[in-house]
Amino acid sequence: MWVQLLPRPGLGRARAQWAMAAAGAVLIVGSGLIGRSWAMLFASGGFQVKLYDVEPQQIANALESIRKELKLLEQAGSLKGSLGAQEQLALIRGCTDIREAVEGAMHIQECVPENLELKQKLFAQLDGLVDDSVVLSSSSSCLLPSKLFTGLAHVQQCLVAHPVNPPYYVPLVELVPHPETAPATVDRTHALMRQIGQSPVRMLREVDGFALNRLQYAVIAEAWRLVQEGVVSPEDLDLVMSDGLGMRYAFIGPLETMHLNAEESPHRDWDAAFPSTRSLSWLFADHRPTGDGRCRLSSAWFKGLCIVVGGTGG
């Protein structure tokens, strides 16, 4: 287990708090689809999980849904973690008292509806209940941390950890910091996500849509344009993704693809390697890595991609 300190001067007890937090429970606030998925993921990693909701019947329904899904996953041989379905279920308990729910939690994952006012109210309440050892994390898919957490006393401990639906089957988690989030908070959450089998990525700063949705909407926009302009049918457009780009991007990203295709080009220059693609340059002329009007990777980008694919970066 990991222990890290937030850079808060004058807190001599911080080490003890972080040490206790490392062995603590996880609190999930909200028992809908995303909340249930997070509960299952943390239980698969062996964590004690508290599932909080304001309605007792919601909790009862969520626990029954989790029980059924864990059993089905076990029968299909798809259950995550080393514990059996019954053992994982035993790690999850419901709670309708927010003060009781917060006790002993080292990580709080908010999963309430995507409503800014509701989330702000919840985090203000949690801010008054937690100490300096607890990470406050939102599952928001689009609300910026600066809108969610500004003004909180524990803002250094706050970030967005945006999962991809359904989180149990899609491992990506986008970690988006508030401008005042402590680096240790991001490091700690990154390690926690890895520990439960997820694939966390660090957003270096907040931006509308984060990374996944910006990429997704760029694809959707071009897909819609191709269909609207009569270039391709809706059915064939979806095949382009499901039987083409989607299969490629399932295991290799766009920058790594470009690197491998143009790896031997003298200046890591896509245009030089594939001159026939220059007619498409208008599609991304404003987003060149170097801004020189050519699709050329900077030295830093190139070295980074070499490391990803196992090269030397020379």
Side-chain angles (χ1 to χ4, degrees), residues 75-249:
Q75 291 173 346
S78 301
L79 187 69
K80 293 179 181 286
S82 59
L83 300 176
Q86 200 58 40
E87 293 173 299
Q88 292 187 26
L89 183 63
L91 292 172
I92 306 171
R93 68 182 181 89
C95 187
T96 56
D97 184 311
I98 190 64
R99 290 182 177 273
E100 178 189 340
V102 168
E103 284 184 22
M106 58 92 176
H107 180 94
I108 299 177
Q109 189 71 37
E110 168 272 310
C111 307
V112 302
E114 198 78 339
N115 178 288
L116 178 59
E117 186 177 350
L118 174 62
K119 289 180 186 284
Q120 287 175 329
K121 183 178 179 180
L122 172 61
F123 279 110
Q125 184 180 17
L126 292 170
D127 190 44
L129 297 174
V130 302
D131 60 24
D132 297 309
S133 68
V134 183
V135 169
L136 296 175
S137 176
S138 174
S139 298
S140 177
S141 61
C142 63
L143 298 175
L144 295 177
S146 59
K147 294 184 178 180
L148 290 170
F149 309 127
T150 295
L152 298 184
H154 297 92
V155 65
Q156 290 191 355
Q157 297 156 225
C158 298
L159 79 169
V160 167
H162 169 226
V164 183
N165 198 17
Y168 196 86
Y169 301 99
V170 184
L172 184 75
V173 180
E174 295 179 295
L175 304 182
V176 190
H178 182 280
E180 297 180 59
T181 299
T185 297
V186 181
D187 292 343
R188 173 176 163 174
T189 308
H190 190 279
L192 178 62
M193 293 298 124
R194 291 287 298 272
Q195 191 171 344
I196 63 173
Q198 298 303 89
S199 300
V201 295
R202 303 171 191 256
M203 297 293 291
L204 303 181
R205 61 180 178 86
E206 64 175 29
V207 63
D208 287 324
F210 310 152
L212 184 141
N213 276 324
R214 291 177 78 93
L215 288 172
Q216 178 171 250
Y217 277 89
V219 170
I220 290 172
E222 185 58 27
W224 185 247
R225 176 164 56 184
L226 288 169
V227 170
Q228 281 234 311
E229 294 180 356
V231 175
V232 64
S233 71
E235 295 81 7
D236 283 350
L237 186 285
D238 278 349
L239 278 176
V240 169
M241 183 59 68
S242 63
D243 288 15
L245 280 178
M247 298 183 75
R248 173 192 290 171
Y249 288 165

